[in-house]
Amino acid sequence: MKIPNVYIIVLNYNNPNETILCLNSLLKVDYPTLNIVIADNASTDSSVEQIKKQFPSLFLLQNKYNKGYAGGMNLGIKYALENNADLILLSNNDMIYPADFLLPLVKALTNEKAVGIVSPKVLYLNDKEKIYCAGGEIKLFRCGGVSMYRNRDEKKYGNKKRDITLAEGACLLVKKVVFVEKGLLSEKYFMYFEDVEFSERISSKFKIKYIPESVVYHKSGAGKTWSEYSPLYYYYFTRNRLLYYSTKNFLINIYVIFFSILNTLSKSILLGIKISTRELGYKNFKKSFSNLWKGLIDGLLYTVKIKKITNDNPILKNKLIQ
């Protein structure tokens, strides 16, 4: 039996230190036909120079401008498809991989024809007893994707293989045929919800499976809350929730609109509490608050078809505060 040709796409944007640690771990992975590609989203720092110097044998692709998660990954996916990839793994650059993580994913993906994507068990790097994500689910009542068993004890939870509805974008292994038949990631989201849309789009033909035998590590801090995210998170997560559900029926749209308004109000209040207790600086509060409400307004305008998504650089076009 032919050993599947695996391409791993690691996305980088102005973060060479994290990317280098991720690449060092991938170079130790035990798999015979492994190809590692770095997709750089037009970094403005010394990322490209540092990565090329440290990994001269790896292939590095560069976008002309920052096209977000989907645009960066699509650059790598296209390259992998053009170079005879059988399976393509999409990876954030803040992941650390054990040497034996890949084989259980490859076996699970190739042993069952109906399965198109597999997702590993993701633990926190700085607290390896806690789960970051043990498979994802798309939940309407939560208006988006949910990381299952987050912050739970990894010995007690997430230890059974199962079908899931969401393969989170931090790490997922995808069959070539999925991209060929269902298309690439949607670039209209820029960041957040592209994995939700992609998971739903491919589900009409392919299954998504959670594989707990494969364990990887995420460098995000355990217990991280939404109040600690970057200002861009507030815009894109709020906007894209409405954008994703804007194609659904009228009743779902009404529910998501009310949910988004209440969510924005509650986050605004909690941001205010954070600044009053000095857990959040004024500059960061101002950026986050502004982007949060801009995300809500733009999302509502997209929902009622007053505003259209374009492929222009959304950060520049929307004049977001980074």
Side-chain angles (χ1 to χ4, degrees):
M1 182 179 175
K2 178 193 170 187
I3 297 173
N5 193 21
V6 176
Y7 272 75
I8 296 181
I9 315 300
V10 179
L11 187 62
N12 177 73
Y13 177 69
N14 286 348
N15 198 347
N17 294 334
E18 298 279 10
T19 301
I20 287 168
L21 289 171
C22 177
L23 293 173
N24 277 326
S25 71
L26 286 171
L27 288 172
K28 298 173 185 175
V29 170
D30 183 18
Y31 191 80
T33 56
L34 182 62
N35 306 274
I36 302 168
V37 176
I38 305 100
D40 184 79
N41 250 336
S43 291
T44 56
D45 62 1
S46 61
S47 285
V48 172
E49 292 78 11
Q50 287 189 53
I51 293 167
K52 281 184 174 179
K53 183 178 179 180
Q54 190 142 344
F55 305 99
S57 63
L58 299 184
F59 200 84
L60 189 146
L61 302 164
Q62 292 177 265
N63 266 327
K64 292 181 179 179
Y65 63 87
N66 184 3
K67 299 180 74 175
Y69 175 88
M73 285 300 185
N74 284 344
L75 181 70
I77 293 166
K78 289 174 187 175
Y79 177 83
L81 293 175
E82 290 166 0
N83 287 273
N84 303 313
D86 297 307
L87 310 175
I88 302 172
L89 187 135
L90 309 184
S91 173
N92 279 357
N93 68 335
D94 58 351
M95 305 295 294
I96 298 295
Y97 293 98
D100 61 352
F101 94 97
L102 187 56
L103 198 55
L105 294 178
V106 172
K107 285 182 177 179
L109 197 53
T110 54
N111 285 346
E112 195 172 339
K113 188 176 180 180
V115 177
I117 303 177
V118 287
S119 180
K121 188 175 195 177
V122 186
L123 307 179
Y124 290 104
L125 182 65
N126 64 351
D127 190 347
K128 294 180 180 178
E129 294 182 356
K130 282 189 177 180
I131 295 170
Y132 174 78
C133 179
E137 300 291 344
I138 301 173
K139 303 280 190 182
L140 176 59
F141 77 95
R142 293 279 296 273
C143 293
V146 177
S147 300
M148 301 305 293
Y149 304 118
R150 178 160 291 184
N151 294 324
R152 299 285 186 91
D153 186 340
E154 75 92 11
K155 292 178 182 177
K156 296 179 181 178
Y157 297 92
N159 296 314
K160 291 183 180 180
K161 188 182 298 185
R162 69 184 194 278
D163 290 345
I164 56 177
T165 57
L166 170 63
E168 290 208 1
C171 177
L172 61 154
L173 184 64
V174 188
K175 281 179 180 173
K176 169 186 176 179
V177 66
V178 173
F179 292 119
V180 172
E181 295 190 11
K182 291 295 183 178
L184 305 183
L185 302 176
S186 174
E187 296 186 18
K188 70 180 181 180
Y189 293 96
F190 192 74
M191 61 171 70
Y192 303 114
F193 272 86
E194 65 284 295
D195 52 356
V196 177
E197 188 277 336
F198 185 66
S199 295
E200 183 192 43
R201 179 167 21 115
I202 70 104
S203 65
S204 61
K205 184 165 184 179
F206 300 98
K207 289 182 180 180
I208 306 171
K209 222 170 191 65
Y210 165 67
I211 310 299
E213 292 82 8
S214 175
V215 177
V216 301
Y217 300 100
H218 192 267
K219 294 196 72 178
S220 175
K224 183 175 181 178
T225 64
W226 56 263
S227 63
E228 299 171 83
Y229 284 96
S230 75
L232 288 180
Y233 160 82
Y234 293 98
Y235 175 79
Y236 283 111
F237 200 87
T238 305
R239 185 200 76 168
N240 289 349
R241 180 197 298 119
L242 287 156
L243 181 60
Y244 169 71
Y245 283 104
S246 66
T247 59
K248 311 302 179 187
N249 66 48
F250 176 76
L251 289 177
I252 289 177
N253 266 275
I254 293 298
Y255 173 72
V256 175
I257 286 170
F258 275 104
F259 180 97
S260 297
I261 292 170
L262 290 173
N263 186 264
T264 300
L265 286 169
S266 65
K267 283 184 177 178
S268 298
I269 292 168
L270 289 170
L271 281 170
I273 293 171
K274 289 287 183 181
I275 193 173
S276 68
T277 58
R278 297 185 179 180
E279 293 179 59
L280 191 68
Y282 177 73
K283 284 186 178 180
N284 203 29
F285 164 79
K286 187 177 179 181
K287 292 175 183 178
S288 301
F289 186 86
S290 173
N291 282 356
L292 176 63
W293 283 93
K294 184 168 179 54
L296 177 67
I297 292 167
D298 281 354
L300 291 171
L301 292 175
Y302 293 133
T303 300
V304 297
K305 308 295 189 292
I306 292 175
K307 195 170 184 177
K308 293 182 179 180
I309 291 285
T310 70
N311 288 326
D312 298 333
N313 185 339
I315 291 180
L316 298 177
K317 186 177 179 64
N318 292 303
K319 298 179 180 178
L320 298 178
I321 305 171
Q322 300 182 63

